[in-house]
Amino acid sequence: MKHDFERLPKSVVPKNYHLHFIPNIPQFSFTGSASISIKIEEKVDRITLNSVDLKISNVRVKSADGNIQKCKEVVYLTEIEVVHFQFDTLSPGEYSLDMDFEGELNDKMKGFYRSKYFSHPDMQERYAAVTQFEATDARRCFPCWDEPALKATFNISMTIPQNLVGLSNMPLIEETKSENGTKTLKFGTSPIMSTYLLAMCVGEYDYVEGSSKDGVKVRVYTPVGKKQQGLFALEVTIKVLPYYKDYFQIAYPLPKLDLIAISDFAAGAMEGWGLITYRETMVLVDPENTSLIRKQNIALTVGHEVAHQWFGNLVTMEWWTELWLNEGYASFTEFLCVNHLFPEYDIWTQFMTDMHSPALDADSLDNSHPIEVEVNHPAEIDEIFDEISYNKGASIIRMLHNYLGDEDFRKGMHLYLTKHQYKNTITENLWESLEKASGKVVANIMRTWIKQMGFPKVKVVKDTQEENGRRLVLEQTKFTANGSIDEKSFWMIPISIATPKSANALTTVLDKKEMEVFIENVTENDWIKINPGTIGFYRTQYPPDMLEKFIPAIRDLTLSPLDRLGLHDDLFALVQNGSNKTVESLKLIDAYRNEDNFTVWSSIATSLSKLKNLLSHTDLTDKFNAFGRHIFTPLADKLGWETKDNESHLETLLRSLVLSKLVSFNCEKTCEEATRRFYLHKEGKQILPADLRMTCYRAVLQNADDKVYEEMLALYRSTDLHEEKDRISRALGSINNPTILQKVIAFSMSKEEVRAQDAVFVIASVAVNPKGRDLTWTFFKENWKILLDQYSGGFLLTRLVKHITENFASEEKALEVDSFFKTHEFPGAERTIQQSIETIRLSTAWLNRDLAEITEYLKDY
Ligand code: BES
Ligand code: ZN
């Protein structure tokens, strides 16, 4: 049951929190005391604040003149996560609100929780005490005004065993040792900040350290014995701090920035101000065992969390409705960071497949939501940490950045950050600053992208040759995943158009339903590309003869990678919604035979995986695999298995992609070679490069018997690198034998071997394998309570639900999923469930529509 959640009353507000914590790690508990400077704005007889699962005692209020009033009663309103402190009367003024409290160091990866590790040198099982507060879990650690706009300063201190490291947002300012073996650490006063950004870590850690050019002390804390693995993130952080400082013309305001790898972590990373917490796989790089794609992701993640130190921490959204201001922005800025530090990654091209295209997919559903959406209940808040806030948010910022130009964009950002620093904002504040800096219309355009869900399709409805060029008529309508017509929606679309002779033949804003444009200097045979660089957040539909004209430029690669990619991606989306035929897209893919760009291939590979998944419901799998091999074999022959000296980052990524696709398309030759290399690796004769391991593991596992399965588990047990464990356990999902897949699921649930943070991904890997689809769904229905309890409302559960349900393709299954979740509530997964049911129906329709034609086309393979 969702209760009516309300924002806290503003009659009493916090100014400063003095918090002291004493974790009792072996007992899985902690005690604390708080002394909070508050301001009472109007006469009240009670103080209301947030608290969950805490026992509070000894509550009193002290006035400026030393008068103490004891709290008459503490009333816990458990359902709405609030506590009332009842008093006689409290007149307006400044007070100190003091109390003691105690709680559990839970195993749910939220609030103040415990995380398991193995202590050196004897590898004893131990626990660390760490925090994860976003979005609404600071209230599980101490009673507080747990809303982003109720900013205060914080003085944290803690008493912990002397052998442990204790960290918080601010630098240590005092350490006192006590004879009983404990020490008390006092940290400096924080700037005024939101509760969700507080962080604490207590455990055994090593670190590496350095200083950024602009004088920030940076440390990366790692599990004991792994500090070398922190060096890459250290280097990225040290370099990105001055870059952001220069970009935004505002310095990072704290004297230090720590990054720490936490062994049990629900999200990927969390931007605590001055203390960023990470999942181990999102920050640790082991040169011999870390794949390049992982390293690239780590650079992006570091860039993302460091960007939050400005966007989010210094300037914070007023309420979770504006979450996108945090996450969309950081998701855009992480690409600025990596583009600056690693130009060889060509990361802006990858933006298309990583961010833009998934955002369009998600936002074409009827069950999408506007970027700005009303949220009240904590589960509703958790639910919007999704592709819309992140990917669509980042994509429309990129569109805006392009429309304004980098210089004005920077100016506007500087204005925004300076004007609102240490305060909270709504989206309009951002538009104001960007408008001021650029002199261009921003708010009116952007409103159409923020306040309504979905995005447009721009269709060329007329193309007429005239004397000096061609006259096009462009029309906008809502792009819908099921092809339905929606006449109501309308966007202000920044449009640009390129031709062979001009990269910038035309820019305009499509602010009507239909618009005529004249393109100079093009002949009848020239291609005309709408949305060059795939920067606008829309899909384009060309008439067949206009599409045809791109083919030579795709073949000879004169069209830019982002345009080659965009053409395929748009057409495939139009196939999925029924505007075009699947076979048209397969024919276009044939034009990419000379393609050499990693990201373009990555986009094609994603589409083919979608299709493979669809056809797994038919008997066309073998034929389709043959088609897939036909597409990828020439590339594999060219790239080979061996890394060349000095080969580029993208070439390595491409090899890894192509070989992994060939394994999934069951290419005998590739699988054999992969298996051979796997055994050389296992026997210690020739180490497999990390980039090829997943491919080889899958090749070996596809046809695994019990013996091979056990060998793989042995490999899993022999490593203590999370990335490697993660790789092996996710590869287990590709086993074809259903009896062994059952064992994989049981293995994933064995707390001893697989951490809860990883189990969902192992189960998901089984669920996305057609051979594991039904059995995972059955498992889920039988164990829903255990899963719900373990992941209670968090987004790990949401991801699991998504992967388990969305790959069916029949009306019968849609109804089954619907009826199961009607009787089993999953708070925070409601929208995901509706999206899954919608996706099942879309797949069903796609299959019915195109199966006959696909069958005919694949006949020759
Ligand atoms: N602020 C989030 C962490 C977070 C995510 C808190 C979900 C609560 C719920 C952080 O900045 C973030 O976005 N982390 C990402 C990784 C990032 C590189 C996209 C994550 O955890 O997936
Ligand atoms: Zn973020």
Side-chain angles (χ1 to χ4, degrees):
M1 257 289 274
K2 273 194 188 164
H3 291 264
D4 288 335
F5 266 74
E6 277 176 20
R7 306 272 291 265
L8 293 169
K10 303 288 181 308
S11 45
V12 182
V13 290
K15 295 289 164 204
N16 167 272
Y17 293 77
H18 266 82
L19 300 168
H20 183 75
F21 293 94
I22 311 173
N24 185 340
I25 297 180
Q27 301 288 326
F28 298 160
S29 68
F30 66 94
T31 58
S33 56
S35 178
I36 313 173
S37 312
I38 56 171
K39 188 154 182 241
I40 299 184
E41 307 275 6
E42 57 195 68
K43 202 168 97 182
V44 290
D45 60 3
R46 76 171 178 223
I47 298 176
T48 305
L49 56 168
N50 294 113
S51 172
V52 174
D53 292 345
L54 294 174
K55 209 169 116 199
I56 307 170
S57 56
N58 200 13
V59 182
R60 66 252 181 227
V61 152
K62 206 160 70 191
S63 62
D65 55 13
N67 262 332
I68 296 182
Q69 225 193 96
K70 284 203 164 149
C71 167
K72 292 199 307 192
E73 198 188 355
V74 176
V75 186
Y76 298 94
L77 286 83
T78 314
E79 299 293 347
I80 54 167
E81 306 190 349
V82 150
V83 61
H84 285 164
F85 299 150
Q86 294 293 347
F87 291 91
D88 286 327
T89 16
L90 297 166
S91 335
E94 295 190 359
Y95 298 82
S96 167
L97 169 66
D98 297 0
M99 71 197 81
D100 299 323
F101 53 89
E102 56 187 82
E104 186 200 353
L105 290 174
N106 70 69
D107 64 350
K108 301 285 171 355
M109 296 180 279
K110 55 189 183 184
F112 204 6
Y113 71 93
R114 59 184 194 261
S115 167
K116 187 168 83 181
Y117 66 93
F118 297 94
S119 173
H120 278 242
D122 51 355
M123 289 318 201
Q124 284 278 327
E125 186 177 299
R126 296 268 167 73
Y127 287 86
V130 296
T131 55
Q132 168 58 37
F133 288 172
E134 195 177 17
T136 58
D137 292 320
R139 62 190 70 168
R140 292 172 187 274
C141 180
F142 61 101
C144 57
W145 283 261
D146 197 10
E147 294 182 6
L150 288 158
K151 289 189 173 186
T153 55
F154 291 83
N155 292 80
I156 307 272
S157 60
M158 54 173 77
T159 302
I160 60 173
Q162 280 171 15
N163 67 320
L164 299 186
V165 174
L167 300 171
S168 185
N169 306 77
M170 298 301 291
L172 187 67
I173 50 168
E174 195 184 298
E175 173 170 349
T176 37
K177 290 201 166 111
S178 155
E179 292 198 341
N180 64 6
T182 64
K183 59 183 174 186
T184 294
L185 307 178
K186 229 171 120 177
F187 301 95
T189 309
S190 79
I192 183 162
M193 63 187 271
S194 309
T195 47
Y196 79 91
L197 291 168
L198 280 172
M200 292 185 286
C201 298
V202 180
E204 294 175 74
Y205 298 100
D206 282 347
Y207 65 83
V208 284
E209 67 182 333
S211 272
S212 69
K213 202 174 69 197
D214 56 329
V216 182
K217 285 204 176 118
V218 181
R219 283 185 180 176
V220 180
Y221 285 84
T222 71
V224 173
K226 294 187 179 178
K227 65 178 180 185
Q228 300 305 323
Q229 296 178 15
L231 286 171
F232 178 72
L234 179 69
E235 182 194 317
V236 174
T237 310
I238 282 177
K239 286 192 184 146
V240 76
L241 280 166
Y243 172 68
Y244 285 160
K245 178 181 175 182
D246 179 57
Y247 197 92
F248 302 120
Q249 290 290 304
I250 297 179
Y252 171 76
L254 306 186
K256 66 99 172 168
L257 176 57
D258 293 328
L259 283 64
I260 183 166
I262 308 259
S263 304
D264 298 274
F265 200 78
M270 175 68 213
E271 69 269 24
W273 208 355
L275 174 54
I276 306 178
T277 44
Y278 291 84
R279 208 177 245 255
E280 288 195 18
T281 53
M282 291 294 200
V283 67
L284 299 181
V285 171
D286 172 1
E288 186 156 271
N289 295 296
T290 296
S291 64
L292 272 188
I293 193 88
R294 181 109 300 281
K295 198 168 157 185
Q296 177 182 296
N297 271 329
I298 289 172
L300 286 167
T301 306
V302 171
H304 179 105
E305 305 309 335
V306 178
H308 274 313
Q309 308 295 311
W310 282 260
F311 284 98
N313 302 8
L314 185 62
V315 179
T316 313
M317 71 250 143
E318 168 70 28
W319 181 244
W320 301 105
T321 294
E322 286 93 21
L323 174 70
W324 89 280
L325 279 179
N326 263 13
E327 297 305 348
Y329 243 90
S331 299
F332 167 80
T333 311
E334 67 187 66
F335 284 81
L336 286 178
C337 157
V338 171
N339 181 52
H340 176 73
L341 299 184
F342 305 97
E344 71 277 17
Y345 290 4
D346 186 21
I347 204 72
W348 279 115
T349 303
Q350 297 190 58
F351 182 91
M352 168 66 194
T353 44
D354 285 2
M355 305 300 285
H356 184 99
S357 180
L360 293 168
D361 283 348
D363 204 24
S364 64
L365 297 178
D366 283 344
N367 286 292
S368 181
H369 65 86
I371 282 186
E372 275 194 13
V373 60
E374 195 189 316
V375 283
N376 293 299
H377 191 283
E380 287 173 354
I381 298 170
D382 281 345
E383 200 167 20
I384 58 168
F385 286 82
D386 64 0
E387 284 99 348
I388 300 303
S389 303
Y390 280 74
N391 303 39
K392 184 180 182 184
S395 301
I396 63 157
I397 295 294
R398 172 166 168 260
M399 176 165 79
L400 181 63
H401 173 262
N402 189 264
Y403 165 77
L404 297 175
D406 191 58
E407 202 183 315
D408 283 348
F409 181 83
R410 277 187 194 215
K411 260 198 254 157
M413 290 324 307
H414 171 75
L415 215 62
Y416 169 80
L417 289 170
T418 351
K419 182 161 175 204
H420 302 286
Q421 56 186 333
Y422 303 107
K423 297 207 271 285
N424 297 78
T425 53
I426 55 172
T427 302
E428 297 292 324
N429 298 134
L430 179 61
W431 304 154
E432 270 162 37
S433 297
L434 290 168
E435 234 155 47
K436 201 159 169 194
S438 66
K440 285 190 185 154
V441 178
V442 175
N444 281 345
I445 294 182
M446 294 312 285
R447 219 170 274 136
T448 66
W449 300 91
I450 298 286
K451 302 273 186 196
Q452 70 187 334
M453 70 176 202
F455 59 89
K457 169 179 89 179
V458 173
K459 184 175 176 180
V460 182
V461 288
K462 223 170 175 178
D463 169 14
T464 356
Q465 180 71 40
E466 289 180 12
E467 205 167 313
N468 298 319
R470 276 155 58 190
R471 192 168 297 280
L472 304 183
V473 178
L474 308 179
E475 173 206 79
Q476 66 157 303
T477 49
K478 184 177 193 298
F479 181 93
T480 54
N482 61 7
S484 65
I485 310 290
D486 172 319
E487 293 289 355
K488 299 182 301 288
S489 312
F490 162 82
W491 288 264
M492 304 261 282
I493 316 171
I495 297 254
S496 52
I497 296 180
T499 65
K501 290 195 199 70
S502 165
N504 210 349
L506 189 109
T507 47
T508 178
V509 175
L510 176 53
D511 56 0
K512 308 190 252 315
K513 181 102 191 117
E514 219 180 73
M515 192 162 107
E516 208 177 80
V517 291
F518 186 74
I519 314 295
E520 283 173 8
N521 228 339
V522 275
T523 64
E524 206 178 346
N525 296 322
D526 286 334
W527 52 261
I528 299 179
K529 179 75 176 67
I530 320 281
N531 202 9
T534 323
I535 280 159
F537 194 70
Y538 58 89
R539 299 263 185 216
T540 311
Q541 186 175 21
Y542 300 96
D545 55 337
M546 264 184 98
L547 194 60
E548 196 80 7
K549 291 179 183 134
F550 288 110
I551 290 187
I554 293 174
R555 286 230 164 88
D556 67 14
L557 308 181
T558 48
L559 207 60
S560 81
L562 272 169
D563 288 335
R564 304 198 297 266
L565 213 158
L567 282 172
H568 161 74
D569 204 66
D570 280 350
L571 182 65
F572 200 78
L574 290 162
V575 161
Q576 284 182 274
N577 89 347
S579 306
N580 288 70
K581 292 286 175 192
T582 306
V583 168
E584 291 174 65
S585 171
L586 295 181
K587 283 182 184 155
L588 183 70
I589 288 174
D590 214 51
Y592 290 77
R593 229 174 297 141
N594 303 327
E595 184 58 61
D596 58 1
N597 183 284
F598 162 70
T599 315
V600 179
W601 276 117
S602 166
S603 167
I604 294 173
T606 303
S607 307
L608 293 184
S609 297
K610 285 181 189 166
L611 200 49
K612 181 174 158 72
N613 185 53
L614 187 77
L615 296 177
S616 73
H617 297 277
T618 73
D619 55 9
L620 282 178
T621 295
D622 288 343
K623 288 274 180 205
F624 191 71
N625 282 347
F627 174 77
R629 295 195 293 268
H630 161 79
I631 298 291
F632 283 101
T633 303
L635 259 176
D637 289 345
K638 209 157 76 192
L639 293 163
W641 278 81
E642 299 298 335
T643 317
K644 297 181 197 78
D645 293 342
N646 297 326
E647 83 175 10
S648 72
H649 177 80
L650 294 165
E651 209 171 328
T652 310
L653 295 190
L654 183 60
R655 175 180 306 105
S656 166
L657 172 75
V658 168
L659 294 176
S660 91
K661 283 299 125 186
L662 281 172
V663 166
S664 81
F665 291 126
N666 221 350
C667 166
E668 209 172 309
K669 189 172 141 212
T670 311
C671 289
E672 266 169 22
E673 181 61 12
T675 308
R676 189 182 75 83
R677 285 174 184 258
F678 171 76
Y679 282 103
L680 286 176
H681 173 74
K682 191 174 151 276
E683 287 150 19
K685 292 185 185 142
Q686 191 188 336
I687 299 295
L688 263 174
D691 304 287
L692 298 179
R693 280 188 209 167
M694 190 59 158
T695 304
C696 294
Y697 296 167
R698 289 214 167 117
V700 171
L701 280 164
Q702 280 182 12
N703 303 311
D705 54 15
D706 280 312
K707 181 172 156 281
V708 173
Y709 176 55
E710 287 301 329
E711 280 175 353
M712 214 43 109
L713 289 187
L715 203 61
Y716 178 89
R717 290 172 185 134
S718 72
T719 175
D720 69 347
L721 181 70
H722 281 203
E723 175 182 342
E724 185 67 24
K725 277 194 189 292
D726 200 45
R727 195 153 41 218
I728 298 169
S729 58
R730 291 187 202 211
L732 296 176
S734 47
I735 294 174
N736 279 326
N737 178 327
T739 319
I740 308 182
L741 282 180
Q742 289 287 9
K743 291 189 194 174
V744 174
I745 292 184
F747 168 74
S748 74
M749 295 297 286
S750 67
K751 287 256 168 70
E752 276 305 301
E753 297 222 61
V754 182
R755 292 173 190 266
Q757 63 164 6
D758 302 317
V760 291
F761 300 104
V762 183
I763 302 171
S765 79
V766 180
V768 300
N769 174 355
K771 298 274 179 0
R773 206 151 43 207
D774 288 316
L775 69 93
T776 325
W777 175 226
T778 307
F779 160 82
F780 183 84
K781 286 186 292 185
E782 285 167 0
N783 294 277
W784 67 277
K785 221 171 160 58
I786 299 171
L787 293 164
L788 189 59
D789 180 54
Q790 172 63 58
Y791 299 108
S792 53
F795 66 90
L796 284 175
L797 187 62
T798 310
R799 296 224 183 138
L800 184 65
V801 167
K802 176 180 156 79
H803 288 301
I804 287 188
T805 52
E806 75 176 1
N807 289 321
F808 292 114
S810 70
E811 179 58 23
E812 183 198 338
K813 281 290 178 195
L815 291 170
E816 193 183 315
V817 171
D818 194 22
S819 86
F820 177 80
F821 287 104
K822 278 215 171 91
T823 48
H824 301 79
E825 253 182 64
F826 278 71
E830 288 92 347
R831 189 180 286 117
T832 303
I833 292 160
Q834 291 314 309
Q835 288 166 347
S836 267
I837 296 168
E838 188 181 347
T839 304
I840 298 173
R841 295 205 160 111
L842 290 167
S843 301
T844 313
W846 182 12
L847 203 53
N848 288 339
R849 213 167 45 227
D850 284 2
L851 181 60
E853 235 179 285
I854 298 172
T855 311
E856 176 61 26
Y857 184 78
L858 292 180
K859 209 170 70 221
D860 303 332
Y861 286 91

